[in-house]
Amino acid sequence: MSTMPLYLDYAATTPVDPRVAEVMARHLTLEGTFANPASRSHMSGWLAEQAVETGRRQVSDLIGADPREIVWTSGATEADNLALIGYMRAHRARGRHLITSSIEHKAVLDSATALEQEGFEVTYLAPRANGTISPEALQEALRPETVLVSLMAVNNELGSINDLQALGAIAAAHGAAFHVDAAQAAGRIALDMGTLPIDMLSLSAHKAYGPKGIGALYVRRGTRIEALIHGGGHERGMRSGTLPTHQIAGMGQAFSLALEEQVSDNAHLEQLGQRFRDGIQRLEGTWINGDGGAQVPNIINVGFEGVDGEGMIMALRGLAVSTGSACNSASVDPSYVLTGIGVPREKALASIRFSFGRFSQVEEIDQALESISNALEGLRTRQSA
Ligand SMILES: *Cc1c(COP(=O)(O)O)cnc(C)c1O
């Protein structure tokens, strides 16, 4: 008999909020708003289009943007691809140099590699030990031919927060566009496009209690990008394909809740985060990776002296946690994010990411700490025997 493990992997994906699932269900069946939102010849199509535009407004409201600046995509991965590849291709006559960092999500790093194969040049900035990019490092890397800078808002393995105002200002002063992967940031930190010097922003629904398979790229008015997906000219030519009304309505509802509940959500996460940190610090031979800078409260990357991460994961079978980004957990390579901030290989292999969210409870944090304490004791006793 087995029960589900305690879910502490919110940074990999969040469960859909029941209030979001309820809205989505109303956009699927014959009785619901299921029609093609591009159908202009009947009432059913208009209603679907209305639902899409409501979702667009809900998403743009969270980031202080105009609804016309939102382009629907299949997720943050596609949004990152569209931002990097779409922007560099559209501006190749002006310059072929892109700046990003070595600890971005694979969606950005692999897009950068694809661009290098097309003849573009990429500089990968090294982060500081706290997981953030220093504005000075960005300043020094700029070249006359730099047209785009892409840096994430919140790192998905460390929870570290970049200074978007300072970094964006440097890009803007140089005349380069600034793209930000904000998949982990929506609902956690203020993302006001009215005041931040950001030209493109990638968003994902499923990191914020919405469904998987939908996201958006914010594209500031006047920013030119080339489409990657052709056919039909949806989304003002930037991303073709029939719009998934139920997904969009779900993302809209999720982002609307994120805006409404941002203060209470974050207060809850602060409380859980502090309790978890205190508990970890009471355990012998532990450390927190990427600490010391601005952090979201809900992602904590912990190292355990004298044990390896895989052994620890095995010993923590009752907890759903991750040794790195979910996409890499099948490999035994240490997390490139941890080695990227200077954590030695051995220590990186002995590290686990714990992340929690809206539905996590204080008792679950205590239960996790107890499991960790027991697992450590078991592993260390066995090793010294
Ligand atoms: C999850 C995540 C992505 C990918 O988002 P999808 O919607 O799953 O494609 C990109 N960047 C970061 C930082 C993420 O955490």
Side-chain angles (χ1 to χ4, degrees), residues 303-371:
F304 300 97
E305 216 151 89
V307 303
D308 68 280
E310 294 302 322
M312 196 64 188
I313 292 252
M314 281 300 287
L316 289 177
R317 275 185 303 273
L319 308 183
V321 292
S322 161
T323 47
S325 69
C327 327
N328 299 323
S329 44
S331 91
V332 292
D333 287 335
S335 148
Y336 69 91
V337 172
L338 293 180
T339 54
I341 60 167
V343 177
R345 183 187 156 84
E346 277 310 304
K347 286 191 148 185
L349 286 170
S351 296
I352 293 181
R353 176 186 71 186
F354 298 87
S355 53
F356 28 84
R358 184 179 286 162
F359 306 115
S360 303
Q361 289 161 16
V362 171
E363 305 76 55
E364 295 178 330
I365 297 295
D366 293 342
Q367 193 185 324
L369 286 166
E370 180 159 348
S371 301

